[in-house]
Amino acid sequence: MRAVGLVGAVGVLLLICVLSIMIGAKPMPLGDVWHGLFDPTGTGNDIIVRDVRVPRTLLGLLVGLALGLSGAVMQGLTRNPLAEPGLLGVNAGAAAAVVSAIAFLGVDDVRDYVWFAFAGAAVVSVVVYVLGGSRTATPVRLALAGTAATAALYGYVNAVQLLNSAALDRLRFWTVGSLASATMDTVGRVAPFMLAGAVLALLISRPLNAMEMGDDTARALGAHINRTRVIAMAAVTLMCGAATAACGPIVFLGLMVPYMVRALTGPDMRWILPYAAVLAPVLLLGSDVIGRMIARPAELQVGIVTALVGGPVFIRLVRRKRMAQL
């Protein structure tokens, strides 16, 4: 049944991708979408499909996959069903690095944000791992270190924005979370990081299963605890750093989707990770489509829509007793 459900989820994702290309400030029939994708002749609709909506959809796929997998890995790593990718300070590190690049180095091209965001995420991940005790790190220590780093870094981000009006103007749109600035160049720059992180995440599904039963049990089952934690943090850093650089910090997605997936698959990470990789892009692209529909001809940024749509749903899920534990 889980395999059938996964196939169904892939079908829903394909449908959402088609809708993402069809719907925008200018509605486009399916025939024009097909023409723009497979038989372009340079018409206005062809340009919109190939240069605007296809990159936006591809970026949504990648970012959704990255955040969904990151959330699932974090929940398994910390044995906390309410953990999310930002728990290790990765998003905050990426945001702080981008703010610094804009305010002090004059970087103004979103395509260049990825390198700073990735560097910031990587540095913060290492710092959090060291603060958490390195070889003696535990889920609680990592969570506490990540929370402290996140608070400090977001304080720095807010201070820079208040003191530097130019940085504030440039960051106002980026910090909301949006796919609107997507280009094929942006997709090409972030895709290798996200895909590499996704491969690492899928490779550690078995040891994460063992670690959810506790460190002692995991060692008895042959899992390498510290190696798994390092790989997990590397995977989250790669995926979240690139996702944050591409479209800004999109919160909530990596928290809700893996939590919901557990209701469908049970606690087996070998199923949770693939389901999260498929369903998180469904939610992200679906939210992006909704944002384009309700504010047409303008749009509501996807970071706002995911919070508005997902918040009430998640609150209801948390209140259901049968989903209260892993």
Side-chain angles (χ1 to χ4, degrees):
M1 287 299 295
R2 288 182 293 192
V4 174
L6 185 59
V7 172
V10 172
V12 173
L13 178 58
L14 292 175
L15 176 61
I16 291 294
C17 289
V18 173
L19 292 176
S20 177
I21 298 174
M22 290 176 60
I23 297 174
K26 179 182 180 182
M28 197 171 297
L30 185 59
D32 287 357
V33 171
W34 181 270
H35 187 274
L37 289 174
F38 302 107
D39 188 27
T41 56
T43 65
N45 283 351
D46 290 348
I47 294 173
I48 292 173
V49 168
R50 296 177 68 88
D51 295 343
V52 178
R53 295 187 184 174
V54 168
R56 183 171 185 152
T57 301
L58 289 176
L59 185 62
L61 280 171
L62 288 170
V63 171
L65 178 145
L67 295 180
L69 282 177
S70 296
V73 169
M74 283 302 306
Q75 291 177 11
L77 181 66
T78 61
R79 299 195 290 273
N80 180 358
L82 299 181
E84 54 94 23
L87 191 62
L88 292 183
V90 175
N91 290 343
V98 172
V99 168
S100 300
I102 291 173
F104 305 121
L105 300 178
V107 177
D108 58 2
D109 190 341
V110 68
R111 296 172 296 180
D112 295 328
Y113 291 173
V114 61
W115 307 112
F116 294 95
F118 176 66
V123 169
V124 172
S125 294
V126 173
V127 170
V128 167
Y129 190 65
V130 172
L131 292 177
S134 189
R135 296 184 63 85
T136 61
T138 65
V140 174
R141 288 179 179 177
L142 289 174
L144 290 174
T147 301
T150 297
L153 288 169
Y154 275 128
Y156 166 78
V157 169
N158 291 332
V160 171
Q161 290 186 80
L162 288 174
L163 296 174
N164 190 314
S165 59
L168 176 61
D169 291 339
R170 294 175 191 169
L171 281 165
R172 186 179 293 119
F173 183 76
W174 180 81
T175 54
V176 171
S178 174
L179 299 174
S181 60
T183 64
M184 289 306 297
D185 186 47
T186 302
V187 172
R189 294 193 185 199
V190 300
F193 297 112
M194 294 184 186
L195 296 178
V199 171
L200 290 177
L202 294 173
L203 287 176
I204 59 173
S205 58
R206 288 181 181 273
L208 283 176
N209 272 342
M211 289 176 64
E212 286 192 345
M213 295 183 284
D215 288 358
D216 292 337
T217 302
R219 289 191 183 95
L221 293 173
H224 298 276
I225 304 299
N226 288 323
R227 184 174 69 186
T228 301
R229 287 190 179 127
V230 170
I231 294 175
M233 292 181 67
V236 172
T237 299
L238 286 168
M239 292 187 288
C240 288
T244 302
C247 56
I250 296 179
V251 298
F252 189 77
L253 189 70
L255 169 64
M256 186 184 76
V257 172
Y259 187 85
M260 293 177 63
V261 165
R262 288 180 183 273
L264 301 174
T265 67
D268 192 342
M269 295 296 293
R270 293 173 298 177
W271 287 101
I272 290 174
L273 291 173
Y275 265 88
V278 174
L279 292 179
V282 169
L283 178 58
L284 184 64
L285 287 174
S287 298
D288 190 43
V289 170
I290 291 172
R292 283 182 267 172
M293 291 177 63
I294 62 178
R296 188 181 291 167
E299 65 179 69
L300 194 62
Q301 280 68 39
V302 67
I304 298 174
V305 180
T306 53
L308 292 176
V309 172
V313 174
F314 184 67
I315 291 173
R316 181 173 180 178
L317 288 172
V318 172
R319 291 175 62 87
R320 293 171 62 177
K321 293 183 179 180
R322 67 186 183 88
M323 291 186 63
Q325 299 178 350
L326 282 174

